[in-house]
Amino acid sequence: MEAERDFPLPSLATHLKLARAPDEKGEPVYTLYNPAANAYYKTDWIAFECISRMPFHQTALALKNAVELETTLTISLTDIEN
Protein backbone atom coordinates (compact mmCIF):
# COMPACT_ATOMS: atom_id res chain seq x y z
CA MET A 1 0.00 0.00 0.00
CA GLU A 2 2.84 2.44 0.74
CA ALA A 3 4.29 1.88 -2.73
CA GLU A 4 1.08 3.40 -4.12
CA ARG A 5 1.68 6.57 -2.05
CA ASP A 6 5.34 6.90 -3.02
CA PHE A 7 6.43 10.24 -4.44
CA PRO A 8 9.63 11.79 -5.82
CA LEU A 9 11.76 13.77 -3.39
CA PRO A 10 12.54 17.42 -4.06
CA SER A 11 16.11 18.59 -4.45
CA LEU A 12 17.62 20.37 -1.48
CA ALA A 13 19.63 23.54 -1.87
CA THR A 14 23.31 22.69 -1.54
CA HIS A 15 24.04 25.64 0.74
CA LEU A 16 21.85 24.37 3.60
CA LYS A 17 23.68 23.31 6.77
CA LEU A 18 22.38 20.75 9.25
CA ALA A 19 23.79 20.70 12.79
CA ARG A 20 23.06 19.02 16.12
CA ALA A 21 22.67 21.01 19.32
CA PRO A 22 21.13 20.28 22.74
CA ASP A 23 17.90 22.00 23.72
CA GLU A 24 17.08 23.55 27.10
CA LYS A 25 16.56 20.09 28.64
CA GLY A 26 19.76 18.69 27.18
CA GLU A 27 17.89 16.53 24.66
CA PRO A 28 19.28 16.46 21.12
CA VAL A 29 17.64 18.72 18.58
CA TYR A 30 18.84 19.69 15.16
CA THR A 31 19.11 23.01 13.38
CA LEU A 32 18.82 23.60 9.66
CA TYR A 33 20.59 26.81 8.64
CA ASN A 34 19.89 28.58 5.38
CA PRO A 35 22.71 31.12 4.89
CA ALA A 36 21.00 32.65 1.83
CA ALA A 37 18.09 33.74 4.04
CA ASN A 38 20.15 33.93 7.24
CA ALA A 39 17.46 31.75 8.84
CA TYR A 40 17.59 28.90 11.34
CA TYR A 41 14.97 26.14 11.64
CA LYS A 42 14.73 23.75 14.57
CA THR A 43 14.03 20.15 13.54
CA ASP A 44 13.45 16.87 15.34
CA TRP A 45 15.29 13.56 15.00
CA ILE A 46 13.05 12.22 12.23
CA ALA A 47 13.50 15.38 10.13
CA PHE A 48 17.26 15.30 10.70
CA GLU A 49 17.57 11.69 9.56
CA CYS A 50 15.41 12.31 6.49
CA ILE A 51 17.08 15.58 5.44
CA SER A 52 20.57 14.15 5.86
CA ARG A 53 19.72 11.22 3.54
CA MET A 54 17.60 13.03 0.93
CA PRO A 55 20.45 13.71 -1.53
CA PHE A 56 21.07 9.96 -1.81
CA HIS A 57 17.50 8.85 -2.64
CA GLN A 58 15.07 9.62 -5.45
CA THR A 59 11.77 8.64 -3.80
CA ALA A 60 10.12 8.87 -0.40
CA LEU A 61 9.81 5.09 -0.12
CA ALA A 62 13.55 4.62 -0.75
CA LEU A 63 14.27 7.27 1.89
CA LYS A 64 11.89 5.63 4.37
CA ASN A 65 13.57 2.25 3.87
CA ALA A 66 17.04 3.76 4.34
CA VAL A 67 16.09 5.58 7.54
CA GLU A 68 14.51 2.45 8.99
CA LEU A 69 17.48 0.28 7.99
CA GLU A 70 20.15 2.67 9.27
CA THR A 71 18.46 3.91 12.48
CA THR A 72 16.09 2.63 15.16
CA LEU A 73 13.29 4.88 13.82
CA THR A 74 10.07 3.63 12.27
CA ILE A 75 8.63 6.34 10.02
CA SER A 76 5.82 6.76 7.53
CA LEU A 77 5.60 8.46 4.17
CA THR A 78 3.50 11.10 5.96
CA ASP A 79 6.50 11.84 8.21
CA ILE A 80 8.58 12.45 5.11
CA GLU A 81 5.86 14.53 3.50
CA ASN A 82 5.65 16.74 6.57
Side-chain angles (χ1 to χ4, degrees):
M1 174 128 100
E2 282 199 324
E4 296 171 1
R5 294 188 48 233
D6 197 14
F7 55 91
L9 295 173
S11 297
L12 292 178
T14 58
H15 61 273
L16 297 177
K17 307 289 184 215
L18 196 55
R20 181 178 177 176
D23 70 359
E24 310 81 46
K25 299 175 188 173
E27 297 175 5
V29 294
Y30 304 88
T31 302
L32 181 65
Y33 173 58
N34 181 350
N38 194 28
Y40 292 85
Y41 307 93
K42 188 187 246 186
T43 66
D44 60 11
W45 184 25
I46 291 173
F48 170 80
E49 295 296 347
C50 289
I51 292 168
S52 64
R53 287 171 175 77
M54 278 180 71
F56 308 106
H57 301 284
Q58 298 293 317
T59 67
L61 190 56
L63 178 61
K64 175 188 179 318
N65 292 336
V67 169
E68 290 182 347
L69 181 67
E70 298 166 10
T71 72
T72 58
L73 291 170
T74 301
I75 64 173
S76 68
L77 293 180
T78 303
D79 291 326
I80 295 171
E81 215 169 15
N82 292 337

